[in-house]
Amino acid sequence: MIHIYTCDLMWLNRFTNIHSSYDLAESLSKFPHLTSNSTHCFEALNELSASRKKLDRVIADWVNSISDIEFDSNVVYQNSSGTEFFEPFASVLLHFFNHQTNHRGQVTTLISQSGDKSYCTDLLAPIGK
């Protein structure tokens, strides 16, 4: 789960040049500034969980502040090797969210294979409560 967290922070820092009414750079200044997706910045799972909740709020607030026209723009960013890219923002943002989905699915598979049945992955279950 730390990999998802660190990659989210790295991507979000690349998105600070996207125009929105939300000050993404200011919000990100409260989190570790990471340059590697293998950085371990928490000693305990509860620390990661607390910071993840705060980061998810930043992501939601930021995405909700982006104007429709920005989704049709391009974003310029550098990967962790320093290679520069010029890509459609909507496509890169889709990658950002799909990266999370991919790894969360892997974690779910590992938990299921371990025999743990104490969790629910059905999105409609918590919505219906």
Side-chain angles (χ1 to χ4, degrees):
M1 299 307 290
I2 192 71
H3 172 77
I4 301 169
Y5 178 86
T6 57
C7 287
D8 281 358
L9 281 173
M10 290 173 67
W11 274 111
L12 288 167
N13 276 292
R14 295 171 185 158
F15 293 148
T16 56
N17 60 349
I18 296 296
H19 298 288
S20 74
S21 59
Y22 185 81
D23 191 344
L24 182 59
E26 171 61 27
S27 293
L28 292 177
S29 70
K30 299 173 179 101
F31 294 89
H33 185 75
L34 307 171
T35 56
S36 169
N37 63 16
S38 61
T39 302
H40 294 274
C41 42
F42 300 102
E43 294 296 321
L45 184 59
N46 64 332
E47 294 172 6
L48 170 60
S49 179
S51 192
R52 176 80 250 182
K53 287 177 185 174
K54 291 175 186 173
L55 186 59
D56 286 344
R57 180 78 262 150
V58 167
I59 293 168
D61 290 346
W62 171 65
V63 168
N64 285 326
S65 75
I66 301 169
S67 67
D68 290 346
I69 197 164
E70 289 301 319
F71 291 103
D72 293 328
S73 68
N74 289 308
V75 62
V76 178
Y77 65 92
Q78 290 184 348
N79 67 10
S80 55
S81 299
T83 304
E84 189 169 281
F85 294 87
F86 182 80
E87 305 279 347
F89 172 59
S91 297
V92 177
L93 187 63
L94 182 62
H95 168 77
F96 170 75
F97 284 110
N98 281 339
H99 178 259
Q100 290 182 12
T101 304
N102 174 56
H103 288 304
R104 288 172 194 258
Q106 291 172 331
V107 170
T108 300
T109 298
L110 292 171
I111 292 171
S112 178
Q113 288 174 345
S114 76
D116 186 340
K117 304 292 183 213
S118 65
Y119 64 96
C120 177
T121 60
D122 186 351
L123 180 61
L124 296 178
I127 293 173
K129 290 183 178 180

